Amino acid sequence: MASLLLLPLLLLLLLLPLLPLRLWSQLRWLAADLAFTMRALRCKRALRARALAAAAADPEGPEGGCSLAWRLAQLARQRPAHTFLIHGAQRFSYAEAERHSNRAARAFLRARGWDGGLGGGGTGGAREGERAAHCARDQAAGSGAARAVREGDGAAPLAPGATVALLLPACPEFLWLWFGLAKAGLRTAFVPTALRRGPLQHCLRSCGARALVLAPEFLESLEPDLPALRGMGLHLWAVGSDTRPAGISDFLAEASAEVDGPVPGYLSAPQNMTDTCLYIFTSGTTGLPKAARISHLKVLQCQGFYQLCGAHQEDVIYLALPLYHMSGSLLGIVGCLGIGATVVLKSRFSAGQFWEDCQKHSVTVFQYIGELCRYLVNQPPNKAERGHKVRLVVGSGLRPDTWERFVRRFGPLQVLETYGLTEGNVATFNYTGQQGAVGRASWLYKHVFPFSLIRYDVATGEPVRDTQGHCVATSPGEPGLLVAPVSQQSPFLGYAGGPELAQGKLLKHVFRPGDVFFNTGDLLVCDNQGFLRFHDRTGDTFRWKGENVATTEVAEALEALDFLQEVNVYGVTVPGHEGRAGMAALALRPPHSLDLVQLYAHVSENLPPYARPRFLRLQESLATTETFKQQKVRMAKEGFDPSALSDPLYILDQARGAYLPLTPARYSALLAGDLRI
């Protein structure tokens, strides 16, 4: 593969003196593109070699199992004393992580009724021929030998491949149970910790959960749910609670009674790398959460995340993201396992404590979501923010204004912005550090990670197609829908449940008859130098006065005002008007006050007439999801009725050229058509 790439590059070098000057600016990033492409190819080769070694390993040994099982076993053998996890005052080496997860695996295996050597791991010499026989015996054990494993909870024994849901905060036990479930050949479902009642039960049903492990601090808030959970026939465990309702057992007590020897690899070895091994729920900003299917292949690929970012095994990674989302679990934890580094895991992010933590633990890498960086730059100066060892910050959602302030205040350091989706088959890396970009669209990058930007009609909500029925690629500077070809190496597995849940996620006949592409639902722009910039979600972009309005562009314009700390832009329906009018929720930067005159002058100068917000809503702080995504859908539903909202509201009066308080009288005038917006 590398030689195939080098040949056209050598030819290009020979032709460089003949190229027109205007093309040189596009080639200035060639060295960075080539370096990242070679790193990606090396990473792919290394992961493939690991997977082949696991497939050829002894099925009775731990390194013959799934990618999580064999990678943790490798690290426990190669770097047993190296610190894997720091959580508060607790520190765990890779050898300790292996032992804790082995105990958890054996406790789950006992709940399955598996009795094939719970006293210790075997060392047989079986290979592929025996692996199938082992699995057949295991299926029989799981179906018949667990008659009374869990007396009193009314639940049936766990079958091989059953799904166990985790309702836990970011803590060591989350990892031991997740790793243990993987080793036991069971699927894990990461349940968002804020869910209760109907949404919680929906999530458990949608992924077919047969058991639930929950944190003791959640027991009180879950008490009204317990009858329904028992009615679903679930095994119910708590993690280390002394006082538990009837029918809920202490999983840690059960695990501590098990030996910590390795479990046979054949229990977790996948029959196919595209088999589902994990469910991660989407954020549910537009409805109930959906259980995205995560394959063994994706978990393996995520082992390469930090290698692609340029991190190494001596790095210390700071992780304060929820583990029930991909960014925390697959990128943060599995990515750390991929390079054998150390992770500092925080149950909650504290902007005031962050730099002291970094100093205390010699943190070198910080994995962020954009809002975390904004929290940090809005903190008062702190002595600990100077002299730190952080050299690399990796994540997504960092807005250009925060990016510049973050680097200027806390640098020198490298910002590596990425883009990806939990259920997606495409990712981008801004390995050049170009401010505001989420990646590159060079031909080298697309050779390794193929994707395209196609024209999209906001009015119809569909891609634009030519007379042949094929999609049309965008030009530089033109917003386009990001799509990626679906293949055996880059599959889309969809969601647990009916096929209707994936409706619209796959596009057919994109560039040629019969091809299939994954639809990210995101609009990106590629500039004339090949940099990708996030434009908007297709559902967030709206039409007003016959024009498309990108919420991100309006928000960035407003955030340039020094008295605004947070901005959330969305479209609202106005009776008697086509499309949706722009509305901006604002939070002030202390100690400033709202300057409506300056705000009007600013939007008039920096935004076209159709993009200027028609309504303003002033709030003390803006609502976000648990992963710090802004609540656009909820805010849009709440609208702008002053009798229904207690927040100060303002309306753009076109005739007066000013933002005025939205009083009940002005609201009535708007509905009557007497107030023009």
Side-chain angles (χ1 to χ4, degrees):
M1 178 69 74
S3 59
L4 292 175
L5 290 172
L6 287 174
L7 287 175
L9 285 172
L10 291 174
L11 180 61
L12 181 61
L13 290 174
L14 294 174
L15 294 175
L16 277 178
L18 305 178
L19 292 176
L21 290 176
R22 61 183 176 83
L23 294 180
W24 278 81
S25 63
Q26 300 179 29
L27 296 174
R28 61 179 293 200
W29 306 103
L30 181 60
D33 292 337
L34 179 59
F36 184 85
T37 301
M38 298 305 292
R39 184 192 301 168
L41 291 174
R42 287 194 299 269
C43 181
K44 281 194 169 187
R45 279 200 303 269
L47 293 178
R48 178 173 172 78
R50 289 181 190 175
L52 290 174
D58 180 1
E60 292 282 356
E63 295 189 24
C66 68
S67 62
L68 276 180
W70 55 248
R71 182 55 180 163
L72 193 55
Q74 280 181 351
L75 291 167
R77 174 171 49 82
Q78 297 168 357
R79 320 191 76 202
H82 188 80
T83 300
F84 162 53
L85 177 68
I86 299 172
H87 184 261
Q90 298 176 292
R91 301 175 76 95
F92 301 90
S93 67
Y94 275 106
E96 289 172 319
E98 171 76 346
R99 291 195 293 270
H100 281 295
S101 59
N102 284 341
R103 287 195 179 98
R106 291 176 178 280
F108 285 122
L109 286 168
R110 195 173 293 280
R112 276 183 46 182
W114 182 80
D115 57 0
L118 281 167
T123 56
R127 289 293 187 268
E128 286 304 315
E130 285 183 75
R131 197 181 298 265
H134 280 302
C135 293
R137 292 201 306 271
D138 185 44
Q139 293 280 348
S143 61
R147 295 287 185 261
V149 175
R150 306 278 304 147
E151 292 183 7
D153 66 2
L158 296 178
T163 299
V164 176
L166 301 184
L167 187 63
L168 301 171
C171 60
E173 290 76 19
F174 186 111
L175 302 185
W176 313 151
L177 269 63
W178 171 23
F179 299 163
L181 286 165
K183 292 179 178 185
L186 297 166
R187 296 176 179 178
T188 311
F190 297 161
V191 181
T193 55
L195 297 185
R196 298 292 185 273
R197 315 302 181 261
L200 171 61
Q201 294 167 37
H202 160 81
C203 286
L204 296 173
R205 288 192 179 96
S206 67
C207 67
R210 303 308 308 152
L212 173 65
V213 187
L214 51 92
E217 58 264 38
F218 298 155
L219 279 171
E220 183 178 352
S221 62
L222 282 168
E223 189 171 353
D225 291 307
L226 292 180
L229 299 180
R230 293 190 183 99
M232 294 169 64
L234 296 175
H235 290 273
L236 296 176
W237 281 286
V239 176
S241 174
D242 293 330
T243 57
R244 301 177 306 277
I248 299 181
S249 301
D250 181 356
F251 183 84
L252 291 187
E254 295 182 15
S256 64
E258 302 290 346
V259 298
D260 60 10
V263 297
Y266 73 81
L267 291 167
S268 62
Q271 298 298 306
N272 190 302
M273 288 300 287
T274 58
D275 289 346
T276 300
C277 64
L278 175 65
Y279 295 104
I280 296 181
F281 290 90
T282 59
S283 59
T285 54
T286 57
L288 288 172
K290 293 188 290 187
R293 296 180 180 274
I294 306 299
S295 67
H296 288 276
L297 175 62
K298 187 154 193 167
V299 175
L300 174 63
Q301 290 170 337
C302 288
Q303 285 191 25
F305 175 72
Y306 268 115
Q307 183 179 343
L308 289 174
C309 294
H312 51 74
Q313 64 180 8
E314 299 307 319
D315 274 318
V316 178
I317 301 166
Y318 193 92
L319 183 65
L321 303 176
L323 293 181
Y324 55 78
H325 274 298
M326 176 181 173
S327 54
S329 53
L330 295 187
L331 302 185
I333 297 299
V334 176
C336 177
L337 290 175
I339 57 175
T342 299
V343 61
V344 178
L345 180 65
K346 303 291 289 187
S347 297
R348 290 182 179 84
F349 179 75
S350 169
Q353 187 68 31
F354 174 77
W355 291 112
E356 291 181 14
D357 284 344
C358 290
Q359 295 269 14
K360 178 180 179 180
H361 300 297
S362 298
V363 171
T364 57
V365 179
F366 168 43
Q367 186 177 337
Y368 67 83
I369 284 180
E371 289 299 286
L372 302 188
C373 296
R374 188 180 58 76
Y375 295 156
L376 289 171
V377 298
N378 286 329
Q379 284 289 300
N382 183 329
K383 283 195 303 182
E385 72 187 48
R386 308 309 306 174
H388 60 78
K389 296 182 180 179
V390 178
R391 63 176 180 84
L392 174 66
V393 294
V394 179
S396 59
L398 185 56
R399 292 188 174 183
D401 63 315
T402 303
W403 188 323
E404 191 275 332
R405 294 170 62 201
F406 190 91
V407 173
R408 175 160 41 86
R409 178 170 170 181
F410 305 125
L413 45 74
Q414 179 190 357
V415 176
L416 203 159
E417 176 82 355
T418 65
Y419 167 89
L421 297 174
T422 301
E423 67 273 46
N425 66 344
V426 59
T428 64
F429 293 79
N430 179 5
Y431 44 83
T432 67
Q434 182 79 355
Q435 195 172 112
V438 299
R440 293 274 295 154
S442 70
W443 66 271
L444 282 167
Y445 187 92
K446 293 169 77 171
H447 183 81
V448 183
F449 304 107
F451 66 86
S452 298
L453 294 181
I454 59 175
R455 289 181 177 170
Y456 180 81
D457 188 334
V458 174
T460 64
E462 297 289 340
V464 174
R465 294 184 181 264
D466 60 20
T467 55
Q468 303 298 315
H470 297 145
C471 296
V472 181
T474 59
S475 302
E478 179 185 4
L481 180 66
L482 177 64
V483 297
V486 175
S487 66
Q488 190 173 2
Q489 294 74 34
S490 301
F492 169 64
L493 299 186
Y495 310 93
E500 70 278 359
L501 295 175
Q503 186 175 0
K505 285 295 184 181
L506 293 179
L507 299 175
K508 297 182 179 180
H509 317 302
V510 175
F511 293 118
R512 58 181 60 90
D515 64 13
V516 180
F517 278 64
F518 173 71
N519 173 9
T520 65
D522 288 330
L523 300 174
L524 276 68
V525 176
C526 179
D527 64 22
N528 57 13
Q529 294 190 57
F531 286 101
L532 291 167
R533 301 178 190 276
F534 185 82
H535 185 71
D536 217 356
R537 290 286 299 168
T538 53
D540 293 341
T541 293
F542 57 88
R543 286 182 70 81
W544 179 251
K545 304 295 185 183
E547 301 284 354
N548 298 333
V549 181
T551 60
T552 51
E553 289 186 359
V554 179
E556 287 177 12
L558 290 171
E559 285 169 347
L561 290 164
D562 59 4
F563 57 83
L564 294 182
Q565 182 163 288
E566 293 182 79
V567 177
N568 182 10
V569 178
Y570 46 94
V572 292
T573 302
V574 182
H577 293 73
E578 295 292 332
R580 288 186 289 160
M583 185 167 183
L586 312 173
L588 296 173
R589 176 175 287 117
H592 296 278
S593 58
L594 181 62
D595 188 336
L596 291 173
V597 174
Q598 184 182 352
L599 193 152
Y600 177 79
H602 180 78
V603 299
S604 298
E605 182 178 349
N606 292 278
L607 292 173
Y610 61 84
R612 297 167 191 166
R614 266 49 185 178
F615 303 97
L616 305 176
R617 179 176 177 178
L618 188 61
Q619 297 185 294
E620 289 191 11
S621 62
L622 303 189
T624 61
T625 67
E626 287 199 333
T627 51
F628 309 102
K629 295 179 181 178
Q630 292 181 331
Q631 294 273 21
K632 293 181 183 290
V633 174
R634 196 192 82 188
M635 297 291 284
K637 287 181 178 178
E638 290 178 358
F640 51 90
D641 184 351
S643 65
L645 299 173
S646 59
D647 298 325
L649 300 173
Y650 303 90
I651 187 170
L652 176 60
D653 189 319
Q654 298 275 48
R656 298 192 187 185
Y659 283 104
L660 304 175
L662 181 53
T663 61
R666 289 195 175 100
Y667 180 76
S668 299
L670 173 64
L671 298 186
D674 298 329
L675 181 59
R676 186 172 66 88
I677 59 169

